Amino acid sequence: MVTEANSVPELPEATDFIREIVNHDIRSGKYKLGDIRTRFPPEPNGYLHIGHAKALSIDFSIAREYGGKCTLRMDDTNPVKEDTEYVDAIMEDVHWLGFEWEGDIRYASDYFEKMYEYALILINKGLAYVDEQSAEQIRETRGTLTEPGKESPWRNRSVEENLDLFKRMRAGEFPDGSKVLRAKIDMASPNLNFRDPVMYRIAHVPHHRTGNKWCIYPMYDWAHGLEDSIEGVTHSLCSLEFENHRPLYDWFLVPLPVHRPQQIEFSRLNLNYTVMSKRLLRRLVQENYVSGWDDPRMPTLRGLRRRGYTPTAIHAFLKKAGVTKYNGITDIALLESSLRDELNQTAPRYMAVLNPVKLVITNYPDGVVEWLDAVNNPEDPAAGSRKIPFSREIFIDQDDFREEPPPKYFRLAPGKEVRLRWAYIITCTDVVRNPDGSIAEIRCTYDEGSRGGNPSDGHKVKGTIHWVEASNAVDAEVRLYDRLFNKEAPEDVPEGEDFIVNLNPDSLHVLKHCKCEPALGGLPPETRVQFERVGYFCTDRVEHSAASPVFNRTVGLKDSWARIEQKTAAPAAEKAPAEKKPAEKAPANVALIGIDDFAKLQLKVAKVLEAEPVPGTDKLLKLQVECDGKRQIVAGIAKFYTPEQLIGRSIIIVANLKPAELCGVTSCGMLLAAKQKKELRLLTVDGDIAPGATVG
């Protein structure tokens, strides 16, 4: 939309530095609203993972927000690893996330002929030559960061000879590895990518689309910029590892009669307890550490979908993670929290007993089944209620009974009472054992007047447990999935060791003959539910059926890994107790936060306008910053920074905290910093990023 007053387009909010650039390009007249073209260019050599979801979300969302178009292009320049299976999976995953590409799907192979013609132009201009060195020789003569490379003996061939050899390479006259086409740039360049990069290699391998038409294939650096140019891409959005390649892309395009896209790099998504390399993911599949690319423990979109993740939860997570120019590690707990928040609102509740033991209510009429009312979702009144059966014999979970209960155990024990969810109050009277000593059944009596869970005499009952009526129970297989790795950085291993050693041996437990209430048996595949008191589960999209129900644990009701890490750290703390210090007065309105609260924090860029010490202290500085208006922030950084060092710098702050009082001075926000031993560094921002811009 354009306002009549000044004809300035009403642009989307610039929530990150990429959108700031796009807005600037439109305001400057470089492009019009609606002209923006982006692309999502995956290589069809594996399945998309959560890292790709960040990239494709940026590509498609920006095109959508600015009324532009985004193409889906398969970067199929390496026929050795590519397959139509991956092409089909990529298209399905993009659609699953809710995006639609412009026109037909594109392929790099669509442009092989055009790329070949452009290569001939470079040869004719003396900017490319045919080299006969082996790949190993080229690698050895490339040089290092401190030493220049060595020129190829064939670097100064004539244009005519290079044209002849390149045409014969295409004709299939030479074996694999015998010749390559290289750009003729600068073997002494400080940017190693400029040291005569390879543009084409010979590979007598059938291509999944072109068959045996080609036996020379373009290298990615040569193909990348040309593909974007041919498609009219305005903003070529790439991850940070391609930043050093950008000058090379520009170098390739300058001598050609082509459009020149603007490349912008952003940080890729990295998660702890996860590997993102397709090479490593392929190993997990090929060596049978997982059941396939869609194994629910995999970070692939197929795996996440089978686990029970939703597109909306993934989008919510990506929004929280943000778009930045610096690499970092995102806590996988943030992804789990995003899903948990959604399912808490949307998932219907059911009861399922994973480790069943029979319970007999001895004073309940034999042969009678009554139907009780149960609320489907207390977070959603519109979800209504359902009927669940109840009778003399039910199943409860083994963990909900202890013959010798520990202190503060509020579940069932001999002589103790509990509330059956939606049903009655029961009291344990006896335990019947099998010949091997295991429990055959638990015997109880019930309070007939306590239907709905309220004791007839009004006394308080602390414990509530879930259950399933025996005669109508549905048998199901339940798969308890957990994180695939038990180390935050799985690839961080000593020299000579393999990342495989960090696989979590408890990442999957399969439970047979779990007991479910009857409504669970009729659910279709990919239905997400909450098993009350247990967690969120999803009917398996591949193997679930009414005859053989299969449920995958999607995520727990709480972050169990946080508790595990706390317990792991506790013994160390007990062995070496810290010396007690006098308690310091805590700032007002300041508290420790958990992962669910952390996900709500707004991280924004702020520019320091003024800085001065807080009177009467030796640690605090008072900063006046620009971030959606002026605000004051107090920070304990006086021992690490002088006021002069801070003025004019762009820093990152937590912008949506409640005001706090520090030594009588109000602080409206918090700085982000990292401290190691005696050194502290503020998190700063490079480049032209406006104050108030949101970051991850």
Side-chain angles (χ1 to χ4, degrees), residues 67 187 462 508 681:
M187 290 301 293
K462 292 185 177 180
L508 172 61
R681 293 286 180 88

Side-chain angles (χ1 to χ4, degrees), residues 26 53 63 77 81 89 112 134 145 160 192 223 233 240 302 319 341 351 356 398 404 455 507 542 643 653 656:
I26 295 174
T77 59
K81 297 181 179 180
F112 279 177
S134 67
L145 291 172
E160 291 74 23
L192 269 63
V233 170
L240 272 180
R302 287 297 181 91
K319 185 175 181 180
D341 288 345
M351 290 194 290
Q398 295 176 19
E404 298 180 3
S507 64
V542 178
I653 67 169
N656 62 333

Side-chain angles (χ1 to χ4, degrees), residues 318-345:
L318 294 174
K319 185 175 181 180
K320 294 171 185 175
V323 181
T324 69
K325 280 284 285 187
Y326 50 88
N327 283 319
I329 304 294
T330 302
D331 194 337
I332 195 172
L334 187 60
L335 174 62
E336 296 167 343
S337 172
S338 298
L339 180 64
R340 194 180 290 115
D341 288 345
E342 176 180 325
L343 295 183
N344 182 50
Q345 299 296 321

